[in-house]
Structure formats: C-alpha cells, structure tokens
Amino acid sequence: MVVVDSIKKGIVIDHIHAGRGMRLLNYLDINVENETVAIIMNAISRKNGRKDIIKIENIIDIDLTVVGLIDPGATVNIIEDHVITKKLKPALPARVENVIKCRNPRCVTSVEDGIPNVFILTDAENQEYRCEYCDEIVSMLKD
C-alpha cells in the first residue's frame, strides 16, 4: 500500500476531471525526475463521481492558464506549512500563447522560427481555440 502524505509547501491541483491529470501534468512541463510529484487518478469524489489530483512539493508558481485550459473546473490550492493559504479557481483563458502548438504544417508557426503559437477561444462550451495565424481549430476536449 502506498501512502501519499500531506505536503509542507507546494500546490495541490484538485477536482481535475478523471483522466485529465496526466495530460495536465505534461502541459505544466514539470520535471518529475527532479521534483516530488504525486498524481492520484480516478479517486472517488462526492462532487464529480471521479477525479484526479496532483500534488507538487516545493513549487508554488505554476501557469494557471494551463490549468484553466486543460480543466477549467479544477481548483489550485497553495500550501504553506501544511496549511492551504490560498485557493485559486482558474478559468478557461480567452487567449493562450505558446501552450498549444498549431498542427497545420502550412501555418507560419510551423515553418518559421521564433513566432509564438497564439490561440483565441472561439467556443467556450466545446473548449475550441482558433490559431491566430491560419484559423486551424483545436478542441481541448479532444486533444
């Protein structure tokens, strides 16, 4: 049996839709070889039925845009001295830069170096974003 203790300082990302935890961790780009990270997948949740949870020790500064992009229903808890000092509720961002990569091989971001990947929210319900340069549509629900 594995026991996941509370953390002294860091963050806990809670209420992640079941199955999205690993994807969120990948998008956060945290070096799991050097950082203490626990991911709990498919845990029982009274509110949502099932959920994922990510605990990251000693890191407090994360990109909340990424959390809101992958799961706008998630909650980010900042922990200091084993106590939640701040609860954050990231929202679905209206614009994201250098998080999503355009998959269109003809897009200027695919053929030119140094051009940022910029996506604009076009459909909040379906979490669809449009590339600012080539109009390619990306759905975060299907990604």
Side-chain angles (χ1 to χ4, degrees):
M1 181 167 114
V2 176
V3 176
V4 179
D5 288 332
S6 65
I7 58 177
K8 181 175 182 178
K9 178 182 177 187
I11 61 168
V12 175
I13 307 171
D14 198 0
H15 304 109
I16 305 167
H17 281 83
R20 291 189 193 173
M22 284 302 293
R23 189 166 106 191
L24 177 55
L25 188 59
N26 289 335
Y27 269 88
L28 287 173
D29 198 30
I30 292 171
N31 186 344
V32 295
E33 292 179 10
N34 294 330
E35 304 299 335
T36 302
V37 177
I39 182 161
I40 302 161
M41 299 179 71
N42 214 22
I44 295 172
S45 167
R46 285 175 273 161
K47 183 178 174 184
N48 298 326
R50 296 283 179 176
K51 67 179 180 179
D52 291 353
I53 304 166
I54 300 173
K55 293 182 174 189
I56 307 167
E57 185 90 44
N58 296 323
I59 293 179
I60 292 178
D61 186 28
I62 62 165
D63 188 352
L64 294 176
T65 302
V66 171
V67 178
L69 180 67
I70 302 300
D71 195 339
T75 304
V76 177
N77 300 311
I78 308 297
I79 313 293
E80 293 179 20
D81 293 322
H82 296 283
V83 176
I84 297 173
T85 58
K86 207 184 284 182
K87 252 187 199 276
L88 305 170
K89 198 78 169 119
L92 193 63
R95 179 181 188 273
V96 291
E97 186 171 323
N98 291 329
V99 177
I100 307 170
K101 293 188 183 197
C102 189
R103 294 181 184 148
N104 179 353
R106 295 183 314 261
C107 181
V108 67
T109 61
S110 298
V111 295
E112 295 287 331
D113 289 333
I115 297 177
N117 281 273
V118 179
F119 282 80
I120 308 300
L121 181 65
T122 56
D123 183 348
E125 185 177 328
N126 293 312
Q127 295 180 14
E128 289 182 348
Y129 286 82
R130 176 186 52 79
C131 176
E132 189 172 68
Y133 304 103
C134 73
D135 296 329
E136 180 82 7
I137 300 293
V138 173
S139 173
M140 294 310 295
L141 295 177
K142 296 175 186 169
D143 187 21

